């Protein structure tokens, strides 16, 4: 590490802490200010913040490894999350969610199921899910940033006591970065998070552009083509995924065979199956939902979600593409002949490239950019998770009439607790990939079924939601425990065979169990009160099986009309997925100098952008804010009447 690079990183950390603490005073007015920024932050700042939060260093390291090994097809691995749930949010879900006018995803549940025992049960299970997910993601970041910083920075920070290593260098680095990020996040809430994330986004974009320029100048077309094949750059595939590496690079084909994605057709089919249900289910109750709820209006919620898609992928994949090009030319020859070549080597390609193949100055900016990626995502989860502890559990069930400052202090303690649990879990994580698969395929699988049904089926009630979520989370956690202990089972035993199944292929089982819990919980309990359903439907206006509620509303207001936009929304989602994919592939093809495919991708991006302008953006612009505000007033009035009746 040159002193210039060190100074750049130190300057970035000081600037981030300064900005975060400087704006923190605005968060002391109450929970609404602390967790949602008082719903006063402009949509483009929230969009930049949201995009910055998704630009995490662990995910970037994972994507670098995937692109290196699988080539252009690797963008489809992002469908495991699924990455295109952001398109569904942009097209219709952001509007539905923002119309609720509440603080957290758990509180939103009460608007759907009411504030009776069933509603509170579903409300509580969402809060628990949000907290568990936040802890899981913090563990994911702890594991990733530790590995990254150990390879990049030259200092050994391992802590040894009485001859025993209490902390590895990786763990020490992770603890330091987490501590610095936690300071301004806890102190300033949403205002500090958004302010620092906008700054961090700018640094990440600069870093991505610089590394792309450097890779473009340093590596020639001939050098790239000597390493990759035509198959590496194509996105078309068959039922099985064959290795595309030839000559002295054939050793990489063994990694393709052992990573669990060889049956690529089945893998993509599973991603599409999961992706549709997970996307309609909506965002998990985390920072993404907090950004939607923080917008100033329904219209701005849609703008913010669309803007997040637009600003995230091109700069991120310029960075990833630049790193991979350097790795293909400078690291692949040495890595291919390594006698210990394994999947873990893919996770450290990113830091190895930065350490040995990036010049002074650019290295410092790139490190600052990746550090910004970590800090922005981490701070987003630290801000969102405690909202559920304080607002949805502590305030609702234990102390509901305290002073705002009391809840702010409680939020500080909750944030500290969530971070501590995440760090403890991170100490026992096997690898970045293990935590990624648990979050995306197992934990998220338990969330999908109940949250899919809540939008589309009027009869689905609070107990159905509770048991659907509970059964899904139970089997997802069981799967995670089996996976973590798979080396301890006797070969050939039932536990051993189940533990060997990849998490993505466990999704249908988890989904089916959760769906069964949802239906049984619904059928054996009374329906949600018609008053609550009418208020919800009139306010949110989802499509789906809502005819009994619609007919009841029609008796009160003959002018009310159904939401018949399902077909158009699905068309926009399909176009949006192509639009999003083009923004991923465009910088990849640019960096590997495959200009014919680059121009085709650019044309697709332009065409889909124009189509979405007419089919989606114009529709959003025509949203009547006065009408939406009136709906919010109507809903609030009905809710107050219902609460008053229950209290009586």
């Amino acid at each position: 590490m040159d002193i210039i690079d060190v100074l750049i990183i130190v300057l970035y950390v000081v600037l981030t802490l300064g900005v975060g603490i400087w704006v923190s005073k605005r968060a002391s007015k109450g929970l609404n200010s602390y967790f949602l920024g008082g719903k006063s932050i402009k949509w483009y700042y929230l969009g930049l913040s949201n995009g910055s939060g998704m630009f995490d260093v662990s995910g970037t390291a994972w994507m670098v490894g995937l692109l290196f090994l699988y080539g252009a097809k690797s963008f489809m691995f992002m469908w495991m999350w699924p990455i295109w749930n952001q398109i569904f949010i942009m097209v219709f879900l952001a509007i539905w969610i923002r119309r609720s006018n509440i603080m957290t995803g758990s509180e939103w549940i009460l608007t759907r199921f009411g504030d009776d025992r069933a509603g509170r049960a579903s409300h509580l299970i969402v809060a628990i899910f949000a907290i568990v997910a936040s802890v899981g993601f913090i563990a994911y970041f702890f594991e990733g940033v530790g590995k990254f910083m150990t390879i990049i920075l030259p200092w050994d920070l391992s802590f040894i006591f009485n001859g025993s290593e209490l902390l590895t260098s990786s763990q020490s680095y992770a603890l330091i970065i987490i501590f610095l990020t936690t300071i301004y996040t806890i102190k300033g809430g949403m205002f500090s998070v958004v302010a620092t994330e906008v700054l961090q986004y700018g640094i990440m974009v600069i870093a991505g552009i610089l590394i792309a320029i450097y890779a473009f100048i340093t590596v020639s077309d001939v050098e790239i083509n000597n390493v990759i094949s035509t198959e590496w750059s194509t996105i078309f595939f068959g039922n099985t995924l064959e290795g595309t590496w030839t000559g002295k690079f054939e050793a990489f084909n063994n990694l393709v065979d052992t990573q669990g994605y060889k049956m690529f057709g089945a893998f993509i089919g599973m991603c599409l199956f999961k992706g549709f249900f997970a996307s309609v289910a909506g965002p998990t109750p985390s920072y993404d939902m907090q950004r939607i709820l923080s917008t100033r209006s329904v219209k701005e919620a849609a703008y913010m979600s669309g803007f997040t898609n637009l600003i995230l992928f091109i700069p991120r994949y310029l960075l990833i593409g630049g790193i991979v090009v350097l790795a293909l030319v400078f690291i692949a020859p040495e890595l291919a002949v390594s006698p210990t070549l394994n999947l873990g080597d893919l996770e450290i390609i990113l830091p190895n490239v930065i350490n040995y193949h990036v010049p002074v100055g650019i290295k410092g900016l790139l490190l600052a950019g990746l550090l910004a990626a970590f800090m922005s995502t981490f701070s987003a989860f630290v801000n969102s998770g405690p909202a559920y502890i304080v607002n949805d559990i502590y305030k609702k069930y234990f102390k509901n009439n305290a002073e705002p400052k009391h809840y702010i202090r409680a939020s500080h303690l909750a944030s500290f607790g969530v971070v501590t649990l995440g760090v403890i879990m991170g100490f026992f994580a096997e690898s970045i990939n293990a935590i990624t698969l648990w979050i995306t395929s197992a934990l998220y699988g338990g969330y999908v079924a109940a949250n899919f049904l809540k939008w589309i089926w009027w009869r689905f009630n609070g107990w159905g939601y509770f048991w659907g979520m509970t059964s899904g989370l139970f089997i997802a956690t069981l799967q995670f425990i089996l996976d973590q202990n798979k080396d301890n089972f006797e070969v050939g035993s039932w536990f051993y065979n189940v533990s060997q199944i990849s998490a993505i292929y466990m999704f249908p089982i988890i989904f089916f169990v959760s769906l069964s819990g949802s239906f049984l919980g619904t059928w054996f309990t009374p329906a949600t009160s018609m008053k609550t359903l009418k208020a919800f439907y009139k306010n949110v206006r989802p499509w789906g099986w809502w005819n009994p509620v619609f007919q009841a509303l029609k008796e009160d207001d003959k002018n009310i009309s159904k939401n018949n936009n399902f077909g158009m929304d699905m068309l926009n989602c399909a176009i949006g997925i192509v639009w999003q994919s083009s923004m991923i592939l465009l910088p990849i093809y640019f960096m590997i100098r495959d200009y014919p495919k680059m121009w085709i991708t650019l044309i697709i991006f332009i065409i889909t952008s124009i189509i979405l302008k007419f089919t989606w953006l114009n529709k959003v612009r025509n949203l009547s804010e006065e009408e939406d505000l009136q709906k919010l007033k109507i809903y609030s009035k009905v809710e107050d009447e219902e609460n008053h009746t229950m209290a009586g």
Side-chain angles (χ1 to χ4, degrees):
M1 283 284 288
D2 191 273
I3 188 65
I4 295 175
D5 296 321
V6 174
L7 288 174
I8 291 172
I9 295 171
V10 171
L11 179 63
Y12 157 72
V13 172
V14 171
L15 186 61
T16 299
L17 288 173
V19 170
I21 294 172
W22 177 57
V23 300
S24 64
K25 291 182 180 179
R26 298 187 64 183
S28 60
K29 297 177 182 178
L31 288 181
N32 194 279
S33 293
Y34 189 81
F35 289 121
L36 298 183
K39 297 184 180 178
S40 62
I41 304 173
K42 295 180 179 178
W43 62 268
Y44 40 86
Y45 289 135
L46 288 168
L48 290 170
S49 171
N50 204 24
S52 179
M54 296 176 187
F55 202 132
D56 70 288
V57 67
S58 299
T60 301
W62 185 60
M63 292 173 192
V64 164
L66 288 175
L67 180 58
F68 176 91
L69 185 63
Y70 294 100
K73 296 180 188 68
S74 66
F75 85 95
M76 285 179 271
F77 283 81
M78 303 305 105
W79 294 356
M80 276 199 297
W81 291 98
I83 197 172
W84 31 268
N85 73 331
Q86 290 300 313
I87 297 298
F88 283 68
I89 293 170
M90 175 189 88
V91 171
F92 61 91
L93 283 173
I95 295 171
W96 293 2
I97 292 168
R98 181 59 184 84
R99 281 174 175 162
S100 61
N101 204 34
I102 41 77
M103 184 178 296
T104 65
S106 183
E107 190 178 0
W108 181 92
I109 288 295
L110 295 178
T111 70
R112 170 63 175 85
F113 300 120
D115 199 6
D116 55 10
R117 285 185 62 197
R120 290 196 173 201
S122 57
H123 167 266
L124 188 61
I125 195 67
V126 172
I128 293 171
F129 174 88
I131 296 164
V132 171
S134 292
V135 171
F137 270 106
I138 288 170
Y140 164 73
F141 302 136
F142 177 85
E143 173 77 7
V145 78
K147 283 186 176 182
F148 174 73
M149 299 301 287
T150 301
I151 297 174
I152 292 299
L153 299 179
W155 308 288
D156 183 5
L157 299 185
S158 56
F159 182 69
I160 299 175
F161 183 75
N162 286 340
S164 300
E165 188 178 53
L166 298 182
L167 287 175
T168 65
S169 187
S170 170
Q171 291 165 346
S172 296
Y173 276 119
L175 287 173
I176 291 170
I177 300 301
I178 284 173
F179 173 74
L180 292 173
T181 311
T182 303
I183 290 174
Y184 71 80
T185 306
I186 290 180
K187 183 171 176 58
M190 179 64 86
F191 283 113
S192 288
V193 170
V194 171
T196 53
E197 284 185 341
V198 171
L199 168 67
Q200 289 158 348
Y201 176 80
I203 294 171
M204 288 185 281
V205 169
I206 293 171
I209 292 172
L210 285 176
I211 199 67
I213 292 172
Y214 176 73
F216 206 88
I217 294 173
T218 305
V219 178
S220 68
D221 302 20
V222 175
E223 288 176 305
I224 296 173
N225 291 326
N226 284 340
V227 179
I228 66 173
S229 63
T230 303
E231 184 65 23
W232 191 96
S233 64
T234 185
I235 62 172
F236 300 105
F237 60 90
N239 290 329
T240 59
L241 189 63
E242 304 295 338
T244 63
W245 300 89
T246 57
K248 61 182 180 180
F249 302 108
E250 283 189 8
F252 293 126
N253 292 332
N254 296 328
L255 295 185
V256 174
D257 293 340
T258 59
Q259 202 173 15
Y261 305 121
K262 181 139 182 97
M263 302 299 292
F264 199 63
F267 169 74
I268 294 300
M270 195 66 67
C271 288
L272 292 172
F273 171 77
K274 174 195 169 186
F276 172 77
F277 292 105
S279 295
V280 176
T284 55
S286 64
Y287 71 90
D288 194 14
M289 182 172 280
Q290 295 300 99
R291 298 301 184 280
I292 295 170
L293 296 171
S294 297
T295 53
R296 299 186 297 181
S297 67
V298 173
K299 183 184 293 187
E300 290 198 2
Y303 285 161
M304 185 276 294
S305 300
F307 189 57
T308 297
N309 282 286
L310 189 63
I311 54 95
L312 174 61
F313 298 105
I314 291 177
R316 187 175 196 182
Y317 272 87
L318 272 177
L319 171 63
I320 292 170
I323 293 291
V324 168
V325 164
L326 293 172
L328 288 169
V329 174
F330 297 122
I331 291 181
E334 181 182 346
L335 199 60
V337 297
S338 171
T340 59
L341 179 65
N342 59 68
L343 294 175
D345 292 322
L346 298 179
E347 293 182 354
I348 59 174
I349 286 175
L350 171 64
N352 276 339
V353 168
I354 298 171
N355 216 22
Y356 302 110
H357 303 289
V358 176
V360 173
I362 293 180
K363 179 187 286 188
L365 282 170
L366 185 55
L367 286 174
L370 291 170
L371 194 56
F374 165 78
M375 294 174 78
S376 63
T377 312
F378 178 83
S379 64
F381 276 100
V382 175
N383 177 255
S384 65
Y388 293 84
I389 297 176
V390 178
N391 186 68
D392 295 304
I393 296 177
Y394 180 67
K395 183 181 177 182
K396 187 169 185 63
Y397 297 108
F398 297 99
K399 200 175 183 72
N400 59 11
N401 57 356
E403 293 292 323
K405 288 185 178 180
H406 175 82
Y407 294 122
I408 297 299
R409 287 194 295 269
S411 300
H412 294 166
L413 291 174
S415 299
F416 179 77
V418 167
V419 171
T420 302
L421 286 173
V423 168
I424 291 171
M425 183 177 171
F427 272 101
F428 300 99
E430 180 183 340
S431 71
I432 298 173
N433 194 52
I435 302 178
T436 302
L437 288 174
W438 174 61
I439 293 171
T440 58
S441 301
L443 186 63
Y444 201 11
Y447 172 86
V448 170
N451 286 276
F452 172 77
L453 291 173
K454 78 186 179 189
W455 294 114
I456 67 165
W457 187 30
W458 76 275
R459 180 60 180 82
F460 189 51
N461 62 12
W463 287 119
Y465 189 93
F466 173 82
W467 288 112
M469 285 282 288
T470 301
S471 57
L473 289 175
F474 173 78
I475 194 169
T477 304
L478 180 63
Q479 186 274 334
F480 178 65
I481 293 171
L482 289 173
D483 182 70
Q484 291 294 295
N485 294 278
K486 58 187 174 185
D487 295 331
N488 301 326
F489 299 127
E490 182 182 348
V491 176
S493 66
W494 183 85
F495 284 112
Y496 177 83
N497 292 332
V498 172
S499 67
Q500 299 302 310
I501 301 174
S502 178
I504 185 66
Y505 296 111
M506 288 294 292
F507 173 78
I509 298 173
I510 297 169
F511 181 73
F512 175 76
V513 170
S514 182
L515 201 63
S516 300
S518 298
F519 282 125
L520 291 173
T522 297
W523 287 330
F524 285 103
T525 54
T528 303
S529 74
M530 186 56 71
K531 182 179 285 188
T532 299
L533 292 173
K534 285 165 66 177
F536 173 82
Y537 184 77
K538 188 167 185 177
N539 182 42
V540 176
R541 302 294 298 282
W543 32 253
W545 290 279
W546 287 90
N547 192 59
V549 180
F550 173 72
Q551 294 300 330
L553 274 171
K554 204 163 186 180
E555 293 178 4
D556 302 330
D557 181 5
K558 296 189 180 298
N559 295 321
I560 193 168
S561 58
K562 276 187 177 180
N563 180 349
N564 295 315
N565 293 328
F566 173 77
M568 181 57 71
D569 286 345
M570 289 300 101
L571 176 63
N572 281 335
C573 286
I575 296 168
I577 292 170
V578 176
W579 176 67
Q580 183 190 70
S581 301
S582 70
M583 287 188 281
I584 296 173
L585 290 170
L586 186 61
I588 292 175
Y589 286 136
F590 173 73
M591 290 309 306
I592 64 172
R593 323 306 210 276
D594 194 334
Y595 298 119
K597 290 189 180 73
M598 184 198 76
W599 288 116
I600 292 171
T601 306
L602 179 61
I603 291 170
I604 291 172
F605 170 71
I606 293 171
I607 292 173
T608 50
S609 297
I610 293 171
I611 294 173
L612 286 173
K613 193 270 180 190
F614 289 101
T615 60
W616 171 74
L617 184 59
N618 287 353
K619 173 186 167 185
V620 172
R621 285 175 175 169
N622 291 332
L623 279 175
S624 170
E625 293 300 328
E626 291 183 5
E627 179 185 351
D628 288 321
L629 287 172
Q630 184 63 30
K631 287 177 182 177
L632 291 177
K633 291 176 182 176
I634 292 170
Y635 179 79
S636 298
K637 182 178 179 181
V638 173
E639 186 184 44
D640 289 341
E641 290 175 355
E642 185 173 359
N643 290 340
H644 180 73
T645 302
M646 289 181 64

PDB file of all heavy atoms in Angstrom, residues 504-515:
ATOM      1  N   ILE A 504     -30.848 -23.540  -3.481  1.00  0.00           N
ATOM      2  CA  ILE A 504     -31.778 -23.042  -4.498  1.00  0.00           C
ATOM      3  C   ILE A 504     -32.805 -24.122  -4.847  1.00  0.00           C
ATOM      4  O   ILE A 504     -33.965 -23.828  -5.122  1.00  0.00           O
ATOM      5  CB  ILE A 504     -31.026 -22.580  -5.767  1.00  0.00           C
ATOM      6  CG1 ILE A 504     -31.992 -21.955  -6.773  1.00  0.00           C
ATOM      7  CG2 ILE A 504     -30.253 -23.706  -6.400  1.00  0.00           C
ATOM      8  CD1 ILE A 504     -32.613 -20.672  -6.319  1.00  0.00           C
ATOM      9  N   TYR A 505     -32.411 -25.407  -4.784  1.00  0.00           N
ATOM     10  CA  TYR A 505     -33.335 -26.493  -5.099  1.00  0.00           C
ATOM     11  C   TYR A 505     -34.228 -26.854  -3.916  1.00  0.00           C
ATOM     12  O   TYR A 505     -35.172 -27.642  -4.067  1.00  0.00           O
ATOM     13  CB  TYR A 505     -32.554 -27.723  -5.575  1.00  0.00           C
ATOM     14  CG  TYR A 505     -31.809 -27.474  -6.865  1.00  0.00           C
ATOM     15  CD1 TYR A 505     -30.421 -27.417  -6.892  1.00  0.00           C
ATOM     16  CD2 TYR A 505     -32.499 -27.257  -8.054  1.00  0.00           C
ATOM     17  CE1 TYR A 505     -29.736 -27.163  -8.075  1.00  0.00           C
ATOM     18  CE2 TYR A 505     -31.825 -27.004  -9.246  1.00  0.00           C
ATOM     19  CZ  TYR A 505     -30.440 -26.958  -9.241  1.00  0.00           C
ATOM     20  OH  TYR A 505     -29.765 -26.701 -10.413  1.00  0.00           O
ATOM     21  N   MET A 506     -33.930 -26.296  -2.750  1.00  0.00           N
ATOM     22  CA  MET A 506     -34.798 -26.484  -1.586  1.00  0.00           C
ATOM     23  C   MET A 506     -35.979 -25.525  -1.611  1.00  0.00           C
ATOM     24  O   MET A 506     -36.939 -25.703  -0.858  1.00  0.00           O
ATOM     25  CB  MET A 506     -34.005 -26.267  -0.290  1.00  0.00           C
ATOM     26  CG  MET A 506     -33.012 -27.367   0.039  1.00  0.00           C
ATOM     27  SD  MET A 506     -33.811 -28.941   0.423  1.00  0.00           S
ATOM     28  CE  MET A 506     -34.602 -28.544   1.983  1.00  0.00           C
ATOM     29  N   PHE A 507     -35.914 -24.512  -2.469  1.00  0.00           N
ATOM     30  CA  PHE A 507     -36.961 -23.494  -2.469  1.00  0.00           C
ATOM     31  C   PHE A 507     -38.359 -24.075  -2.684  1.00  0.00           C
ATOM     32  O   PHE A 507     -39.296 -23.701  -1.954  1.00  0.00           O
ATOM     33  CB  PHE A 507     -36.679 -22.410  -3.516  1.00  0.00           C
ATOM     34  CG  PHE A 507     -37.804 -21.431  -3.662  1.00  0.00           C
ATOM     35  CD1 PHE A 507     -37.986 -20.415  -2.739  1.00  0.00           C
ATOM     36  CD2 PHE A 507     -38.717 -21.536  -4.711  1.00  0.00           C
ATOM     37  CE1 PHE A 507     -39.042 -19.526  -2.848  1.00  0.00           C
ATOM     38  CE2 PHE A 507     -39.773 -20.652  -4.829  1.00  0.00           C
ATOM     39  CZ  PHE A 507     -39.928 -19.641  -3.897  1.00  0.00           C
ATOM     40  N   PRO A 508     -38.588 -24.972  -3.665  1.00  0.00           N
ATOM     41  CA  PRO A 508     -39.958 -25.492  -3.847  1.00  0.00           C
ATOM     42  C   PRO A 508     -40.496 -26.187  -2.599  1.00  0.00           C
ATOM     43  O   PRO A 508     -41.687 -26.073  -2.293  1.00  0.00           O
ATOM     44  CB  PRO A 508     -39.809 -26.480  -5.009  1.00  0.00           C
ATOM     45  CG  PRO A 508     -38.599 -26.022  -5.744  1.00  0.00           C
ATOM     46  CD  PRO A 508     -37.678 -25.492  -4.701  1.00  0.00           C
ATOM     47  N   ILE A 509     -39.635 -26.897  -1.862  1.00  0.00           N
ATOM     48  CA  ILE A 509     -40.085 -27.580  -0.640  1.00  0.00           C
ATOM     49  C   ILE A 509     -40.485 -26.548   0.408  1.00  0.00           C
ATOM     50  O   ILE A 509     -41.550 -26.641   1.028  1.00  0.00           O
ATOM     51  CB  ILE A 509     -38.965 -28.496  -0.106  1.00  0.00           C
ATOM     52  CG1 ILE A 509     -38.634 -29.577  -1.135  1.00  0.00           C
ATOM     53  CG2 ILE A 509     -39.379 -29.113   1.229  1.00  0.00           C
ATOM     54  CD1 ILE A 509     -37.442 -30.427  -0.782  1.00  0.00           C
ATOM     55  N   ILE A 510     -39.627 -25.546   0.606  1.00  0.00           N
ATOM     56  CA  ILE A 510     -39.920 -24.491   1.574  1.00  0.00           C
ATOM     57  C   ILE A 510     -41.185 -23.738   1.167  1.00  0.00           C
ATOM     58  O   ILE A 510     -42.049 -23.442   1.995  1.00  0.00           O
ATOM     59  CB  ILE A 510     -38.721 -23.524   1.686  1.00  0.00           C
ATOM     60  CG1 ILE A 510     -37.491 -24.268   2.215  1.00  0.00           C
ATOM     61  CG2 ILE A 510     -39.056 -22.343   2.595  1.00  0.00           C
ATOM     62  CD1 ILE A 510     -36.210 -23.476   2.115  1.00  0.00           C
ATOM     63  N   PHE A 511     -41.316 -23.455  -0.116  1.00  0.00           N
ATOM     64  CA  PHE A 511     -42.472 -22.720  -0.635  1.00  0.00           C
ATOM     65  C   PHE A 511     -43.751 -23.528  -0.420  1.00  0.00           C
ATOM     66  O   PHE A 511     -44.776 -22.988   0.007  1.00  0.00           O
ATOM     67  CB  PHE A 511     -42.259 -22.425  -2.116  1.00  0.00           C
ATOM     68  CG  PHE A 511     -43.371 -21.639  -2.759  1.00  0.00           C
ATOM     69  CD1 PHE A 511     -43.522 -20.290  -2.487  1.00  0.00           C
ATOM     70  CD2 PHE A 511     -44.253 -22.235  -3.650  1.00  0.00           C
ATOM     71  CE1 PHE A 511     -44.537 -19.550  -3.079  1.00  0.00           C
ATOM     72  CE2 PHE A 511     -45.267 -21.509  -4.246  1.00  0.00           C
ATOM     73  CZ  PHE A 511     -45.411 -20.159  -3.964  1.00  0.00           C
ATOM     74  N   PHE A 512     -43.700 -24.831  -0.699  1.00  0.00           N
ATOM     75  CA  PHE A 512     -44.880 -25.680  -0.547  1.00  0.00           C
ATOM     76  C   PHE A 512     -45.300 -25.766   0.921  1.00  0.00           C
ATOM     77  O   PHE A 512     -46.493 -25.689   1.237  1.00  0.00           O
ATOM     78  CB  PHE A 512     -44.595 -27.083  -1.097  1.00  0.00           C
ATOM     79  CG  PHE A 512     -45.718 -28.057  -0.867  1.00  0.00           C
ATOM     80  CD1 PHE A 512     -46.870 -28.009  -1.649  1.00  0.00           C
ATOM     81  CD2 PHE A 512     -45.633 -29.007   0.143  1.00  0.00           C
ATOM     82  CE1 PHE A 512     -47.911 -28.896  -1.425  1.00  0.00           C
ATOM     83  CE2 PHE A 512     -46.667 -29.898   0.367  1.00  0.00           C
ATOM     84  CZ  PHE A 512     -47.812 -29.847  -0.423  1.00  0.00           C
ATOM     85  N   VAL A 513     -44.342 -25.928   1.825  1.00  0.00           N
ATOM     86  CA  VAL A 513     -44.661 -26.004   3.254  1.00  0.00           C
ATOM     87  C   VAL A 513     -45.275 -24.689   3.721  1.00  0.00           C
ATOM     88  O   VAL A 513     -46.282 -24.669   4.447  1.00  0.00           O
ATOM     89  CB  VAL A 513     -43.399 -26.336   4.076  1.00  0.00           C
ATOM     90  CG1 VAL A 513     -43.668 -26.180   5.574  1.00  0.00           C
ATOM     91  CG2 VAL A 513     -42.926 -27.751   3.773  1.00  0.00           C
ATOM     92  N   SER A 514     -44.680 -23.571   3.298  1.00  0.00           N
ATOM     93  CA  SER A 514     -45.200 -22.258   3.678  1.00  0.00           C
ATOM     94  C   SER A 514     -46.594 -22.028   3.100  1.00  0.00           C
ATOM     95  O   SER A 514     -47.479 -21.477   3.764  1.00  0.00           O
ATOM     96  CB  SER A 514     -44.241 -21.162   3.211  1.00  0.00           C
ATOM     97  OG  SER A 514     -44.690 -19.892   3.600  1.00  0.00           O
ATOM     98  N   LEU A 515     -46.794 -22.454   1.851  1.00  0.00           N
ATOM     99  CA  LEU A 515     -48.096 -22.311   1.204  1.00  0.00           C
ATOM    100  C   LEU A 515     -49.152 -23.144   1.932  1.00  0.00           C
ATOM    101  O   LEU A 515     -50.288 -22.688   2.149  1.00  0.00           O
ATOM    102  CB  LEU A 515     -47.991 -22.748  -0.258  1.00  0.00           C
ATOM    103  CG  LEU A 515     -49.050 -22.230  -1.236  1.00  0.00           C
ATOM    104  CD1 LEU A 515     -48.981 -20.710  -1.358  1.00  0.00           C
ATOM    105  CD2 LEU A 515     -48.849 -22.867  -2.610  1.00  0.00           C
TER     106      LEU A 515
END
